[in-house]
PDB file of all heavy atoms in Angstrom:
ATOM      1  N   VAL A 140      -0.749   0.761  27.900  1.00  0.00           N
ATOM      2  CA  VAL A 140       0.100   1.542  26.997  1.00  0.00           C
ATOM      3  C   VAL A 140       0.280   0.753  25.706  1.00  0.00           C
ATOM      4  O   VAL A 140       0.775  -0.377  25.730  1.00  0.00           O
ATOM      5  CB  VAL A 140       1.486   1.833  27.622  1.00  0.00           C
ATOM      6  CG1 VAL A 140       2.312   2.699  26.673  1.00  0.00           C
ATOM      7  CG2 VAL A 140       1.341   2.514  28.969  1.00  0.00           C
ATOM      8  N   LEU A 141      -0.128   1.333  24.603  1.00  0.00           N
ATOM      9  CA  LEU A 141       0.043   0.706  23.294  1.00  0.00           C
ATOM     10  C   LEU A 141       1.380   1.146  22.705  1.00  0.00           C
ATOM     11  O   LEU A 141       1.653   2.336  22.611  1.00  0.00           O
ATOM     12  CB  LEU A 141      -1.090   1.109  22.354  1.00  0.00           C
ATOM     13  CG  LEU A 141      -2.515   0.853  22.852  1.00  0.00           C
ATOM     14  CD1 LEU A 141      -3.518   1.268  21.783  1.00  0.00           C
ATOM     15  CD2 LEU A 141      -2.713  -0.594  23.245  1.00  0.00           C
ATOM     16  N   SER A 142       2.181   0.173  22.322  1.00  0.00           N
ATOM     17  CA  SER A 142       3.524   0.488  21.825  1.00  0.00           C
ATOM     18  C   SER A 142       3.879  -0.450  20.680  1.00  0.00           C
ATOM     19  O   SER A 142       4.945  -1.045  20.662  1.00  0.00           O
ATOM     20  CB  SER A 142       4.521   0.356  22.979  1.00  0.00           C
ATOM     21  OG  SER A 142       5.817   0.660  22.554  1.00  0.00           O
ATOM     22  N   TYR A 143       2.967  -0.574  19.725  1.00  0.00           N
ATOM     23  CA  TYR A 143       3.153  -1.592  18.697  1.00  0.00           C
ATOM     24  C   TYR A 143       3.734  -1.049  17.391  1.00  0.00           C
ATOM     25  O   TYR A 143       3.794  -1.731  16.374  1.00  0.00           O
ATOM     26  CB  TYR A 143       1.861  -2.358  18.440  1.00  0.00           C
ATOM     27  CG  TYR A 143       0.694  -1.570  17.902  1.00  0.00           C
ATOM     28  CD1 TYR A 143       0.565  -1.355  16.535  1.00  0.00           C
ATOM     29  CD2 TYR A 143      -0.305  -1.091  18.747  1.00  0.00           C
ATOM     30  CE1 TYR A 143      -0.520  -0.658  16.035  1.00  0.00           C
ATOM     31  CE2 TYR A 143      -1.398  -0.402  18.253  1.00  0.00           C
ATOM     32  CZ  TYR A 143      -1.500  -0.182  16.894  1.00  0.00           C
ATOM     33  OH  TYR A 143      -2.577   0.503  16.382  1.00  0.00           O
ATOM     34  N   GLY A 144       4.191   0.191  17.405  1.00  0.00           N
ATOM     35  CA  GLY A 144       5.018   0.693  16.316  1.00  0.00           C
ATOM     36  C   GLY A 144       4.302   0.920  14.996  1.00  0.00           C
ATOM     37  O   GLY A 144       3.111   1.198  14.935  1.00  0.00           O
ATOM     38  N   ALA A 145       5.071   0.802  13.917  1.00  0.00           N
ATOM     39  CA  ALA A 145       4.592   1.098  12.559  1.00  0.00           C
ATOM     40  C   ALA A 145       4.973  -0.056  11.651  1.00  0.00           C
ATOM     41  O   ALA A 145       6.047  -0.068  11.059  1.00  0.00           O
ATOM     42  CB  ALA A 145       5.200   2.411  12.061  1.00  0.00           C
ATOM     43  N   GLU A 146       4.088  -1.043  11.538  1.00  0.00           N
ATOM     44  CA  GLU A 146       4.424  -2.233  10.757  1.00  0.00           C
ATOM     45  C   GLU A 146       3.868  -2.193   9.342  1.00  0.00           C
ATOM     46  O   GLU A 146       4.099  -3.105   8.555  1.00  0.00           O
ATOM     47  CB  GLU A 146       3.924  -3.490  11.466  1.00  0.00           C
ATOM     48  CG  GLU A 146       2.413  -3.566  11.591  1.00  0.00           C
ATOM     49  CD  GLU A 146       1.948  -4.922  12.108  1.00  0.00           C
ATOM     50  OE1 GLU A 146       2.740  -5.877  12.018  1.00  0.00           O
ATOM     51  OE2 GLU A 146       0.820  -5.002  12.595  1.00  0.00           O
ATOM     52  N   GLY A 147       3.155  -1.112   9.005  1.00  0.00           N
ATOM     53  CA  GLY A 147       2.647  -0.980   7.649  1.00  0.00           C
ATOM     54  C   GLY A 147       3.649  -0.279   6.752  1.00  0.00           C
ATOM     55  O   GLY A 147       4.513   0.466   7.212  1.00  0.00           O
ATOM     56  N   ASN A 148       3.567  -0.516   5.447  1.00  0.00           N
ATOM     57  CA  ASN A 148       4.448   0.119   4.475  1.00  0.00           C
ATOM     58  C   ASN A 148       3.748   1.300   3.800  1.00  0.00           C
ATOM     59  O   ASN A 148       2.585   1.193   3.416  1.00  0.00           O
ATOM     60  CB  ASN A 148       4.858  -0.873   3.379  1.00  0.00           C
ATOM     61  CG  ASN A 148       5.764  -1.960   3.900  1.00  0.00           C
ATOM     62  OD1 ASN A 148       6.724  -1.693   4.597  1.00  0.00           O
ATOM     63  ND2 ASN A 148       5.453  -3.207   3.555  1.00  0.00           N
ATOM     64  N   ARG A 149       4.466   2.399   3.647  1.00  0.00           N
ATOM     65  CA  ARG A 149       3.957   3.478   2.796  1.00  0.00           C
ATOM     66  C   ARG A 149       4.255   3.098   1.344  1.00  0.00           C
ATOM     67  O   ARG A 149       5.386   2.775   1.008  1.00  0.00           O
ATOM     68  CB  ARG A 149       4.618   4.802   3.153  1.00  0.00           C
ATOM     69  CG  ARG A 149       4.227   5.298   4.535  1.00  0.00           C
ATOM     70  CD  ARG A 149       4.595   6.757   4.726  1.00  0.00           C
ATOM     71  NE  ARG A 149       4.234   7.222   6.056  1.00  0.00           N
ATOM     72  CZ  ARG A 149       3.018   7.629   6.417  1.00  0.00           C
ATOM     73  NH1 ARG A 149       2.048   7.648   5.512  1.00  0.00           N
ATOM     74  NH2 ARG A 149       2.772   8.022   7.646  1.00  0.00           N
ATOM     75  N   THR A 150       3.255   3.117   0.517  1.00  0.00           N
ATOM     76  CA  THR A 150       3.434   2.689  -0.862  1.00  0.00           C
ATOM     77  C   THR A 150       3.851   3.866  -1.735  1.00  0.00           C
ATOM     78  O   THR A 150       3.589   5.031  -1.422  1.00  0.00           O
ATOM     79  CB  THR A 150       2.137   2.084  -1.422  1.00  0.00           C
ATOM     80  OG1 THR A 150       1.096   3.067  -1.357  1.00  0.00           O
ATOM     81  CG2 THR A 150       1.729   0.862  -0.615  1.00  0.00           C
ATOM     82  N   MET A 151       4.510   3.548  -2.859  1.00  0.00           N
ATOM     83  CA  MET A 151       4.920   4.591  -3.805  1.00  0.00           C
ATOM     84  C   MET A 151       3.729   5.154  -4.559  1.00  0.00           C
ATOM     85  O   MET A 151       3.714   6.311  -4.953  1.00  0.00           O
ATOM     86  CB  MET A 151       5.940   4.025  -4.794  1.00  0.00           C
ATOM     87  CG  MET A 151       7.261   3.636  -4.180  1.00  0.00           C
ATOM     88  SD  MET A 151       8.428   3.059  -5.436  1.00  0.00           S
ATOM     89  CE  MET A 151       7.767   1.417  -5.806  1.00  0.00           C
ATOM     90  N   GLY A 152       2.739   4.296  -4.814  1.00  0.00           N
ATOM     91  CA  GLY A 152       1.568   4.738  -5.556  1.00  0.00           C
ATOM     92  C   GLY A 152       1.846   4.992  -7.018  1.00  0.00           C
ATOM     93  O   GLY A 152       1.293   5.918  -7.625  1.00  0.00           O
ATOM     94  N   VAL A 153       2.724   4.148  -7.611  1.00  0.00           N
ATOM     95  CA  VAL A 153       3.066   4.331  -9.027  1.00  0.00           C
ATOM     96  C   VAL A 153       2.790   3.038  -9.786  1.00  0.00           C
ATOM     97  O   VAL A 153       2.780   1.953  -9.206  1.00  0.00           O
ATOM     98  CB  VAL A 153       4.549   4.719  -9.195  1.00  0.00           C
ATOM     99  CG1 VAL A 153       4.845   6.010  -8.430  1.00  0.00           C
ATOM    100  CG2 VAL A 153       5.481   3.604  -8.734  1.00  0.00           C
ATOM    101  N   PRO A 154       2.555   3.118 -11.109  1.00  0.00           N
ATOM    102  CA  PRO A 154       2.365   1.906 -11.907  1.00  0.00           C
ATOM    103  C   PRO A 154       3.585   0.991 -11.805  1.00  0.00           C
ATOM    104  O   PRO A 154       4.727   1.451 -11.736  1.00  0.00           O
ATOM    105  CB  PRO A 154       2.206   2.447 -13.333  1.00  0.00           C
ATOM    106  CG  PRO A 154       1.764   3.862 -13.166  1.00  0.00           C
ATOM    107  CD  PRO A 154       2.411   4.344 -11.919  1.00  0.00           C
ATOM    108  N   GLY A 155       3.331  -0.317 -11.802  1.00  0.00           N
ATOM    109  CA  GLY A 155       4.413  -1.293 -11.765  1.00  0.00           C
ATOM    110  C   GLY A 155       4.907  -1.631 -10.377  1.00  0.00           C
ATOM    111  O   GLY A 155       5.810  -2.466 -10.217  1.00  0.00           O
ATOM    112  N   GLU A 156       4.317  -1.024  -9.359  1.00  0.00           N
ATOM    113  CA  GLU A 156       4.782  -1.251  -7.988  1.00  0.00           C
ATOM    114  C   GLU A 156       4.617  -2.707  -7.558  1.00  0.00           C
ATOM    115  O   GLU A 156       5.340  -3.203  -6.691  1.00  0.00           O
ATOM    116  CB  GLU A 156       4.023  -0.329  -7.032  1.00  0.00           C
ATOM    117  CG  GLU A 156       4.577  -0.299  -5.623  1.00  0.00           C
ATOM    118  CD  GLU A 156       3.969   0.831  -4.809  1.00  0.00           C
ATOM    119  OE1 GLU A 156       3.001   1.474  -5.287  1.00  0.00           O
ATOM    120  OE2 GLU A 156       4.451   1.074  -3.693  1.00  0.00           O
ATOM    121  N   GLY A 157       3.684  -3.408  -8.185  1.00  0.00           N
ATOM    122  CA  GLY A 157       3.436  -4.795  -7.811  1.00  0.00           C
ATOM    123  C   GLY A 157       4.257  -5.819  -8.578  1.00  0.00           C
ATOM    124  O   GLY A 157       4.087  -7.025  -8.400  1.00  0.00           O
ATOM    125  N   LEU A 158       5.162  -5.367  -9.432  1.00  0.00           N
ATOM    126  CA  LEU A 158       5.985  -6.293 -10.221  1.00  0.00           C
ATOM    127  C   LEU A 158       6.937  -7.088  -9.331  1.00  0.00           C
ATOM    128  O   LEU A 158       7.363  -6.624  -8.264  1.00  0.00           O
ATOM    129  CB  LEU A 158       6.807  -5.524 -11.258  1.00  0.00           C
ATOM    130  CG  LEU A 158       6.067  -4.961 -12.467  1.00  0.00           C
ATOM    131  CD1 LEU A 158       6.982  -4.002 -13.228  1.00  0.00           C
ATOM    132  CD2 LEU A 158       5.596  -6.088 -13.385  1.00  0.00           C
ATOM    133  N   ALA A 159       7.301  -8.277  -9.788  1.00  0.00           N
ATOM    134  CA  ALA A 159       8.354  -9.043  -9.122  1.00  0.00           C
ATOM    135  C   ALA A 159       9.646  -8.240  -9.191  1.00  0.00           C
ATOM    136  O   ALA A 159       9.966  -7.645 -10.212  1.00  0.00           O
ATOM    137  CB  ALA A 159       8.539 -10.390  -9.811  1.00  0.00           C
ATOM    138  N   GLY A 160      10.366  -8.230  -8.095  1.00  0.00           N
ATOM    139  CA  GLY A 160      11.598  -7.451  -8.035  1.00  0.00           C
ATOM    140  C   GLY A 160      11.449  -6.146  -7.290  1.00  0.00           C
ATOM    141  O   GLY A 160      12.429  -5.426  -7.102  1.00  0.00           O
ATOM    142  N   VAL A 161      10.216  -5.817  -6.874  1.00  0.00           N
ATOM    143  CA  VAL A 161       9.967  -4.617  -6.068  1.00  0.00           C
ATOM    144  C   VAL A 161       9.650  -5.058  -4.645  1.00  0.00           C
ATOM    145  O   VAL A 161       8.756  -5.883  -4.419  1.00  0.00           O
ATOM    146  CB  VAL A 161       8.802  -3.786  -6.637  1.00  0.00           C
ATOM    147  CG1 VAL A 161       8.568  -2.540  -5.780  1.00  0.00           C
ATOM    148  CG2 VAL A 161       9.082  -3.400  -8.081  1.00  0.00           C
ATOM    149  N   TYR A 162      10.371  -4.508  -3.677  1.00  0.00           N
ATOM    150  CA  TYR A 162      10.196  -4.892  -2.276  1.00  0.00           C
ATOM    151  C   TYR A 162      10.184  -3.642  -1.402  1.00  0.00           C
ATOM    152  O   TYR A 162      10.786  -2.616  -1.747  1.00  0.00           O
ATOM    153  CB  TYR A 162      11.334  -5.807  -1.799  1.00  0.00           C
ATOM    154  CG  TYR A 162      11.551  -7.009  -2.676  1.00  0.00           C
ATOM    155  CD1 TYR A 162      12.499  -6.986  -3.694  1.00  0.00           C
ATOM    156  CD2 TYR A 162      10.810  -8.174  -2.489  1.00  0.00           C
ATOM    157  CE1 TYR A 162      12.704  -8.089  -4.511  1.00  0.00           C
ATOM    158  CE2 TYR A 162      11.007  -9.280  -3.301  1.00  0.00           C
ATOM    159  CZ  TYR A 162      11.953  -9.232  -4.309  1.00  0.00           C
ATOM    160  OH  TYR A 162      12.150 -10.320  -5.124  1.00  0.00           O
ATOM    161  N   SER A 163       9.521  -3.748  -0.281  1.00  0.00           N
ATOM    162  CA  SER A 163       9.646  -2.684   0.715  1.00  0.00           C
ATOM    163  C   SER A 163      10.914  -2.933   1.520  1.00  0.00           C
ATOM    164  O   SER A 163      11.332  -4.079   1.726  1.00  0.00           O
ATOM    165  CB  SER A 163       8.436  -2.678   1.653  1.00  0.00           C
ATOM    166  OG  SER A 163       8.496  -3.774   2.551  1.00  0.00           O
TER     167      SER A 163
END
Side-chain angles (χ1 to χ4, degrees):
V140 182
L141 305 182
S142 181
Y143 63 85
E146 64 171 341
N148 291 313
R149 293 195 181 278
T150 59
M151 294 183 285
V153 301
E156 190 168 9
L158 287 169
V161 180
Y162 307 94
S163 73

